[in-house]
C-alpha cells in the first residue's frame, strides 16, 4: 500500500491521521478504497459528502433522477441553482467542491436487473440509499452473490434504521438482508417518503451514520453492524440496537436458496 502523502494531503487529513486508530495506514486504506453510493438523495447526500471529505479514493454515485425543489428540504448535496440538473451530476460537483483529490464516477441511471451486476463489480463496499423495496432487494441480492459488503440505511417520517450485510463467504452465519425482510411488503403497506413525508434532518443523521460505518469498515476499526440492526426514533431521541437472527431456511443465504436465480443466470443481452 502506498503510504506516501503530499504535504497537502497530510494537512487535509491531519485530524484523521492524529487518531491512533486511523493514522497514515488507515488514511491510505481510505485513499485506496472504492465505494458505490446508490441513491443521491436524502441519505446519499451526506453519505457521499462525508466519504469525499474523508478521502475515500474512488466514489461511485448511481441515480437516475433530477434535482427537484422538494428535494432541497433534506438532500444537502444539491442546491437551488441545480434544480433540473441530474442528481448524479450535481452530486459530483458537490463532492468535488469538498475534495478535488477524490475520483467520483457517475452512474446516471436507475438500478435494474440488467445493470446491477456490472454496476457493483469492482467496488469494495456498496451503500444503499434508495427509497423503494424493489431496488433494495435487487441490490441486496446482487451484493450477496458478488460477495460485496452492503451498508444499508432507510428512513421514513421520524425513524431511521441501519445495518451491514456481508456477501458470500464473508456473510456465513450472519443474517442477510432477506433474513430481515424475506419479501417486499404488499404494495401500499409501507408508504414512501413522497407519500408519508420525512423529517429532513433524520436523513442527514442516518446518512452520516452510514458514512461512519463505511469508514470504520474500510479502516478496519470498531465493531461493525453486521448481524445487528440500529433503529433510531428521532421524536423520542432514542437509539436501540437489536441482534438480527439468521433465518436457517432463508431463501437467499439458506441451504437451498431459491432467490437470485434471475441474477445468477442473467446475462447482459
Amino acid at each position: 500500500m502506498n503510504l506516501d502523502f503530499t504535504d497537502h494531503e497530510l494537512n487535509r487529513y491531519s485530524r484523521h491521521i492524529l487518531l491512533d486508530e486511523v493514522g497514515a495506514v488507515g488514511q491510505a486504506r481510505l485513499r485506496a478504497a472504492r465505494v458505490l453510493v446508490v441513491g443521491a438523495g436524502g441519505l446519499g447526500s451526506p453519505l457521499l459528502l462525508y466519504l469525499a471529505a474523508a478521502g475515500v479514493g474512488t466514489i461511485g454515485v448511481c441515480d437516475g433522477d433530477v434535482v427537484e425543489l422538494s428535494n432541497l428540504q433534506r438532500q444537502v448535496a444539491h442546491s437551488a441553482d441545480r434544480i433540473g440538473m441530474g442528481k448524479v451530476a450535481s452530486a459530483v460537483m458537490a463532492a468535488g467542491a469538498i475534495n478535488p483529490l477524490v475520483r467520483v464516477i457517475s452512474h446516471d441511471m436507475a438500478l435494474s436487473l440488467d445493470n446491477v451486476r456490472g454496476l457493483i463489480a469492482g467496488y469494495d463496499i456498496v451503500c444503499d440509499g434508495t427509497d423503494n423495496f424493489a431496488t433494495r432487494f435487487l441490490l441486496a441480492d446482487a451484493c450477496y452473490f458478488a460477495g460485496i459488503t452492503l451498508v444499508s440505511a432507510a428512513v421514513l417520517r421520524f425513524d431511521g434504521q441501519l445495518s451491514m450485510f456481508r456477501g458470500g463467504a464473508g456473510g456465513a452465519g450472519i443474517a442477510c438482508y432477506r433474513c430481515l425482510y424475506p419479501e417486499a411488503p404488499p404494495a401500499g403497506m409501507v408508504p414512501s417518503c413522497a407519500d408519508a413525508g420525512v423529517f429532513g434532518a433524520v436523513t442527514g443523521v442516518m446518512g452520516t451514520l452510514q458514512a461512519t460505518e463505511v469508514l470504520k469498515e474500510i479502516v478496519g476499526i470498531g465493531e461493525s453492524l453486521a448481524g445487528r440492526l440500529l433503529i433510531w426514533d428521532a421524536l423520542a431521541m432514542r437509539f436501540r440496537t437489536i441482534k438480527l437472527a439468521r433465518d436457517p431456511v432463508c431463501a437467499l443465504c439458506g441451504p437451498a436458496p431459491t432467490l437470485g436465480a434471475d441474477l445468477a443466470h442473467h446475462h447482459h443481452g
Side-chain angles (χ1 to χ4, degrees):
M1 193 188 313
N2 177 14
L3 288 178
D4 289 338
F5 289 99
T6 64
D7 288 346
H8 174 92
E9 286 175 301
L10 290 172
N11 192 8
R12 177 181 280 275
Y13 304 126
S14 61
R15 301 303 189 275
H16 265 175
I17 294 169
L18 282 167
L19 295 166
D20 291 340
E21 295 86 347
V22 182
V25 172
Q27 194 60 48
R29 283 180 181 155
L30 292 171
R31 186 171 61 186
R34 300 172 55 88
V35 179
L36 174 65
V37 175
V38 182
L43 293 163
S45 286
L47 173 55
L48 71 92
L49 294 179
Y50 271 109
L51 294 180
V56 171
T58 304
I59 304 167
V61 188
C62 174
D63 200 311
D65 290 341
V66 299
V67 178
E68 298 173 20
L69 180 60
S70 63
N71 299 153
L72 299 182
Q73 165 256 11
R74 64 202 175 282
Q75 300 183 16
V76 294
H78 311 303
S79 53
D81 60 349
R82 297 192 214 137
I83 290 171
M85 180 187 283
K87 280 190 184 175
V88 165
S90 172
V92 168
M93 287 175 67
I98 287 180
N99 191 351
L101 300 180
V102 302
R103 175 169 167 243
V104 188
I105 302 174
S106 300
H107 302 285
D108 192 351
M109 61 178 95
L111 201 71
S112 72
L113 181 61
D114 290 311
N115 64 27
V116 65
R117 287 171 69 196
L119 183 68
I120 66 175
Y123 286 102
D124 308 315
I125 301 175
V126 172
C127 305
D128 183 349
T130 64
D131 61 357
N132 66 85
F133 271 103
T135 310
R136 289 177 173 282
F137 280 121
L138 183 60
L139 202 52
D141 294 354
C143 286
Y144 180 81
F145 285 113
I148 296 172
T149 295
L150 174 70
V151 180
S152 179
V155 291
L156 188 67
R157 292 175 46 81
F158 298 94
D159 300 297
Q161 61 182 49
L162 176 69
S163 191
M164 175 189 285
F165 305 96
R166 298 193 195 281
I174 303 172
C176 78
Y177 189 80
R178 296 274 190 171
C179 293
L180 179 59
Y181 298 111
E183 56 190 37
M189 274 290 289
V190 178
S192 69
C193 292
D195 299 327
V198 62
F199 207 49
V202 171
T203 64
V205 171
M206 296 312 300
T208 304
L209 287 173
Q210 203 173 2
T212 307
E213 191 67 3
V214 170
L215 297 171
K216 278 168 51 195
E217 179 75 1
I218 294 167
V219 177
I221 54 175
E223 186 182 345
S224 91
L225 272 175
R228 299 185 296 150
L229 179 68
L230 180 75
I231 300 171
W232 180 44
D233 174 348
L235 283 181
M237 198 47 84
R238 194 169 292 125
F239 284 94
R240 61 195 178 102
T241 310
I242 57 174
K243 193 164 170 42
L244 293 180
R246 184 161 174 264
D247 179 357
V249 293
C250 176
L252 183 61
C253 71
T258 54
L259 281 168
D262 49 354
L263 271 169
H265 305 300
H266 193 77
H267 297 292
H268 302 284

